Amino acid sequence: MSYSVIPPYILRNIVEHCSGNPQASARRTLTHVQQLMAAHRHVPSTSQTAQPGHVLRAVYDAKNTQNLPGTLVRTEDQASNGDVAADEAWDYLGVTYDFFWTVYQRNSLDNKGLKLDGTVHYGQDYQNAFWNGQQMVFGDGDGEIFNRFTIALDVVAHELTHGVTETEAGLIYFQQAGALNESMSDVFGSLVKQYHLKQRAEDADWLIGEGLLAKGINGRGLRSMSAPGTAYDDPQLGKDPQPADMQHYVETREDNGGVHLNSGIPNRAFYLAAKALGGFAWERAGWAWYDTLCDKTLPQDADFKTFANLTIKHGRERFDHTVAQAIEAAWKEVGVL
């Protein structure tokens, strides 16, 4: 199973409303994303593992082909080759590793020191980034709608978090469990960015993919966790269709049963809990979500309600009744409880 950051519905809108290179790029990307979503899961195989607290990375260059992993351009004992995309991928793989290690004492995605591999310059104007179960892959974007996909730290961390979710919970990529899978990636993607910028919950932008939309596109990012449905409204991209509560939950066969759509609901619950608790969001709300992700009683086909109740339980167990109450109030506000 592969996970990509740009959902099929955005690519379809570009195909429908654009012409020229953006349309051709979106069509190629959409075809590839549909193949990815149907592909079997790859299990990472590496003889090298990171010592606890010491990231192990490699960055490759696909040179605008779709051959993976591509040409090796940087390892831990190699300096930068001056390629901005390779440098961003390198830095952000490191920042994500450091976050999980420092905050949750987690040694890489699998907690066993998995080496973090990333490939840049994938495909021709490829309008996406994805985690294929083994490595990160970044397109360059088409320059008219999307900038290069290494530009946004939270997008890198979002994709890598799919590896954490795969290892711990194995949430199936369908309907509410799939939306939770996507939401976990948004939650920790945002937390990695907030941690890197040393931002408190009240100061963060709570956007996913800020900086990814090219100049002239009417939007602030791919998704808003604080106000789902408001991230963009553009003739080429369409309007952000994410619901912010259960009253507007989307029943659909598209997008694996709405995994990128309905993730807005648990996203907003996390934002509300983090904002109510104040301070750094990774310290209390983040721990409750992380503990839930690692809870062996969390079913692979968990629905929102099951997940919500576990976050309340872990908030109480790790902290106190006040934290649990703030989390419960957040889930009630979005209509899950």
Side-chain angles (χ1 to χ4, degrees), residues 3 8 10 34 45 74 80 86 96 99 108 125 169 181 189 195-196 216 220-221 224 245 252 267 301 309 323 333:
Y3 307 92
I10 288 184
Q34 286 166 334
S45 56
R74 194 167 179 189
S80 161
T96 305
F99 167 82
S108 196
D125 299 332
N181 192 320
Y195 177 80
H196 185 57
R220 297 173 300 140
S224 167
D245 54 49
T252 178
N267 275 1
D301 62 349
N309 284 320
V323 172
E333 193 167 333

Side-chain angles (χ1 to χ4, degrees), residues 149-205:
F149 278 80
T150 50
I151 208 166
L153 168 57
D154 49 10
V155 166
V156 179
H158 168 105
E159 289 303 320
L160 290 172
T161 301
H162 280 303
V164 178
T165 300
E166 237 169 45
T167 305
E168 291 295 346
L171 289 166
I172 59 167
Y173 206 56
F174 186 63
Q175 292 183 338
Q176 287 193 17
L180 285 168
N181 192 320
E182 273 300 317
S183 178
M184 292 308 283
S185 281
D186 279 355
V187 163
F188 289 101
S190 184
L191 289 183
V192 168
K193 183 169 84 168
Q194 290 174 40
Y195 177 80
H196 185 57
L197 298 173
K198 300 180 173 56
Q199 285 177 331
R200 301 166 82 78
E202 53 272 27
D203 304 321
D205 63 14

Side-chain angles (χ1 to χ4, degrees), residues 231-261:
Y232 57 87
D233 188 354
D234 183 85
Q236 300 177 90
L237 287 184
K239 186 182 182 314
D240 179 359
Q242 276 207 316
D245 54 49
M246 288 304 284
Q247 207 177 331
H248 300 96
Y249 183 88
V250 182
E251 295 282 358
T252 178
R253 289 183 182 182
E254 297 286 310
D255 187 32
N256 280 27
V259 296
H260 289 93
L261 287 166

Side-chain angles (χ1 to χ4, degrees), residues 63-109:
K63 298 182 176 174
N64 303 118
T65 70
Q66 290 186 315
N67 302 327
L68 291 174
T71 306
L72 182 65
V73 292
R74 194 167 179 189
T75 60
E76 291 298 336
D77 52 7
Q78 247 174 308
S80 161
N81 67 350
D83 177 337
V84 66
D87 285 348
E88 285 169 342
W90 179 264
D91 291 344
Y92 294 162
L93 291 171
V95 170
T96 305
Y97 177 92
D98 289 344
F99 167 82
F100 278 106
W101 172 254
T102 310
V103 178
Y104 304 118
Q105 293 79 59
R106 185 179 189 87
N107 184 13
S108 196
L109 312 185

Side-chain angles (χ1 to χ4, degrees), residues 314-332:
H314 286 293
R316 186 182 297 110
E317 284 177 3
R318 184 171 284 276
F319 300 104
D320 54 33
H321 191 58
T322 319
V323 172
Q325 272 182 321
I327 294 170
E328 186 175 7
W331 287 109
K332 281 181 172 166

Side-chain angles (χ1 to χ4, degrees), residues 39-78:
H40 291 300
R41 181 174 163 237
H42 296 284
V43 179
S45 56
T46 175
S47 51
Q48 287 180 288
T49 52
Q51 291 303 309
H54 299 278
V55 65
L56 198 56
R57 292 161 287 187
V59 173
Y60 300 83
D61 185 345
K63 298 182 176 174
N64 303 118
T65 70
Q66 290 186 315
N67 302 327
L68 291 174
T71 306
L72 182 65
V73 292
R74 194 167 179 189
T75 60
E76 291 298 336
D77 52 7
Q78 247 174 308

Side-chain angles (χ1 to χ4, degrees), residues 5 154-155 158 186 189-190 206-210 221-225:
V5 77
D154 49 10
V155 166
H158 168 105
D186 279 355
S190 184
W206 294 97
L207 292 170
I208 301 297
E210 192 235 352
L222 297 177
R223 289 182 287 282
S224 167
M225 294 180 69

